[in-house]
Amino acid sequence: MDFNLSDEQRMIQEMAKNFAVKEVAPKAAEIDKNHRFPSELVAKMGELGLMGIMVDPASGGAGMDTVCYVLALEEISAACASTGVIMSVNNSLVCDPVERNSTPEQKEKFLKPLASGAKLGCFGLTEPNAGSDVIGQRTRAVRDGNEWVLNGTKNFITNGREADIAVVFAMTDPEKKHKGMSTFIVEKGTPGYSIGKIEDKLGICGSSTTELVFEDCRIPAENILGKENDGFRIAMQTLDGGRIGIASQALGIARAALEASKKHARERFQFGKPLADIQAIQWMIADMATKLDCARLLTLRAAFEKDQKGRFSRSSAMAKLAAAEAAMWIATKAIQVHGGYGYTKEYPVERNFRDAKITEIYEGTNEVQRLVIAAAELKG
Ligand code: CAA
């Protein structure tokens, strides 16, 4: 077993870190405070190849492996978790399913601009009455001649407000449940497609989370992605990859909280010595570092397994579960290490705390990850 990174992996980690430290971190508090979508950072991430890291260069991507993706996303998220999720959704939830399931024409028309960062994508699966229960969704797509007609409402859609291209799931044969859902590509500006409610959230305030509303929305027949009625499999396979992205985002948040805690522990004096010399604080730092490393090892293993091309549902669910729980635990302890200061907006750990919570919820809650892991463990 070799724990060393390849030259390419080290290079992208270094490049992402440079960008994150110099250009993302100085803006993170302002982005959070003003709930501002960081369009200039997203454009720069496109130029750096970070919006389609794993996509084949022939389709506009950077052609790197999933380990590179994890390393880069941890760096961006350590600086700003909002910028991290914007990048994660475009890479994992949009470029990935489009690349795997598209026709050559769809690759040219949709994947190239998405992977180069010229266009932004979102992933429309969740509905007001269908979150964990994907198959309970009500959005319908009905074929009418050379078009599909979509009706329904999606919610909690990251990048919903800014996305140029939406990957949308709809029932095409509801009686058949898992075998009756299909995937579609819908472009911004299509009549009948609009943005509904924009959520006001606890954390990741720089990314938008919106409803997508489809009212007799007609799209060309060729905008179906993959085979008709294969949408549930596409959604699940996509989320397996997405969970690695969110695990990486959680690693970034957790690392930022740990680093801030170590700095504070060295600088703050109580009882005539730095907090770092007090055993109660040392134990917290030790547990934070151990949980972070456990989560990172699981995330890198999931990335490695994804690159082996087999099914990696169990390892990606473990990575996301461990990283999300670590991020929430570490961010909570980070506030404790900071004491009263940690509860104020002057220190970044309160933002880390608010940003960490969502990693336990989106792209499958902790409970859904446990379902996936238990199903794999108990099978056969
Ligand atoms: N890859 C390929 N196929 C898969 C699969 C996968 N990962 N997971 C399941 N399947 C297949 C199964 O093999 C099975 O096929 P057969 O019928 O041929 O045997 C079929 O799909 C049904 O599988 P299950 O019986 O396991 O499905 P289920 O209905 O019990 O669902 C679940 C399981 C784990 C609860 C699943 O519904 C799930 O993951 N729910 C959570 C959804 C989620 O993560 N939502 C987040 C939305 S995205 C988001 O957060 C918004 C954002 O913008 C960030």
Side-chain angles (χ1 to χ4, degrees):
M1 182 173 294
D2 184 359
F3 282 91
N4 292 310
L5 299 177
S6 69
D7 288 346
E8 182 175 76
Q9 289 161 351
R10 257 203 314 275
M11 186 202 72
I12 184 131
Q13 184 183 41
E14 202 51 41
M15 183 272 282
K17 189 185 183 89
N18 247 331
F19 169 64
V21 169
K22 286 195 191 127
E23 299 188 46
V24 183
K27 295 182 172 175
E30 174 268 312
I31 288 168
D32 175 63
K33 185 172 176 208
N34 297 322
H35 293 216
R36 180 176 74 79
F37 182 85
S39 31
E40 78 287 10
L41 298 178
V42 176
K44 190 74 194 281
M45 289 198 293
E47 285 167 28
L48 295 173
L50 295 175
M51 295 304 276
I53 296 184
M54 296 166 287
V55 174
D56 187 338
S59 298
M64 292 184 176
D65 62 17
T66 311
V67 172
C68 287
Y69 173 52
V70 165
L71 298 170
L73 190 46
E74 178 182 329
E75 295 303 331
I76 303 298
S77 303
C80 173
S82 296
T83 309
V85 73
I86 295 164
M87 172 180 155
S88 178
V89 165
N90 199 70
N91 277 278
S92 303
L93 296 190
V94 185
C95 286
D96 188 80
V98 174
E99 181 166 40
R100 283 175 195 270
N101 300 289
S102 51
T103 60
E105 294 75 26
Q106 288 173 330
K107 282 191 175 57
E108 192 61 34
K109 184 168 180 195
F110 302 115
L111 185 57
K112 271 192 174 174
L114 284 166
S116 67
K119 289 197 171 166
L120 186 70
C122 69
F123 179 80
L125 179 67
T126 302
E127 296 188 3
N129 293 307
S132 298
D133 177 17
V134 171
I135 221 64
Q137 64 178 277
R138 299 205 184 128
T139 298
R140 286 293 312 269
V142 176
R143 182 77 186 250
D144 182 19
N146 271 340
E147 293 175 322
W148 286 98
V149 187
L150 270 61
N151 276 291
T153 300
K154 300 289 173 182
N155 76 339
F156 299 145
I157 308 304
T158 307
N159 293 346
R161 187 180 52 202
E162 297 79 16
D164 306 289
I165 292 169
V167 170
V168 177
F169 295 84
M171 300 309 291
T172 31
D173 196 345
E175 305 278 291
K176 291 197 187 147
K177 299 194 176 274
H178 299 90
K179 308 262 189 257
M181 183 194 275
S182 303
T183 317
F184 302 91
I185 298 176
V186 186
E187 290 181 87
K188 189 182 200 166
T190 307
Y193 169 35
S194 60
I195 308 306
K197 185 181 174 207
I198 299 174
E199 303 295 342
D200 190 7
K201 309 185 297 270
L202 175 70
I204 55 162
C205 298
S207 69
S208 65
T209 304
T210 75
E211 278 183 343
L212 307 182
V213 182
F214 301 94
E215 292 166 306
D216 288 329
C217 174
R218 289 180 171 270
I219 58 169
E222 64 266 22
N223 277 25
I224 191 164
L225 184 64
K227 293 199 193 89
E228 187 175 340
N229 293 332
D230 196 27
F232 187 79
R233 186 198 60 78
I234 293 177
M236 291 301 114
Q237 188 183 52
T238 302
L239 284 166
D240 283 346
R243 289 165 186 167
I244 297 176
I246 299 307
S248 313
Q249 184 203 22
L251 294 180
I253 297 168
R255 194 184 87 202
L258 172 59
E259 291 306 322
S261 302
K262 291 195 286 190
K263 181 171 183 288
H264 188 74
R266 288 192 200 102
E267 290 171 359
R268 168 115 169 124
F269 276 67
Q270 290 290 279
F271 306 106
K273 54 186 174 188
L275 292 185
D277 286 358
I278 297 172
Q279 195 177 48
I281 303 292
Q282 292 172 353
W283 285 16
M284 280 196 256
I285 301 284
D287 286 344
M288 290 158 97
T290 305
K291 283 181 196 291
L292 176 57
D293 269 22
C294 287
R296 190 183 283 113
L297 288 168
L298 281 174
T299 306
L300 289 169
R301 181 187 70 170
F304 173 82
E305 267 191 34
K306 178 169 178 275
D307 288 334
Q308 305 310 300
K309 311 286 180 215
R311 184 141 164 206
F312 54 97
S313 311
R314 175 181 176 275
S315 62
S316 75
M318 280 188 179
K320 180 174 183 288
L321 175 62
E325 288 193 343
M328 199 63 240
W329 193 91
I330 291 168
T332 306
K333 290 294 178 205
I335 294 188
Q336 200 67 18
V337 170
H338 283 72
Y341 294 105
Y343 203 64
T344 71
K345 303 241 176 211
E346 238 171 88
Y347 286 77
V349 288
E350 71 82 34
R351 173 164 49 85
N352 299 149
F353 177 83
R354 289 185 287 105
D355 288 343
K357 186 61 207 172
I358 190 60
T359 67
E360 295 196 308
I361 298 170
Y362 59 16
E363 300 199 30
T365 59
N366 289 356
E367 293 70 31
V368 161
Q369 308 314 323
R370 288 188 166 90
L371 269 181
V372 172
I373 296 163
E377 287 297 307
L378 296 168
K379 166 173 89 180

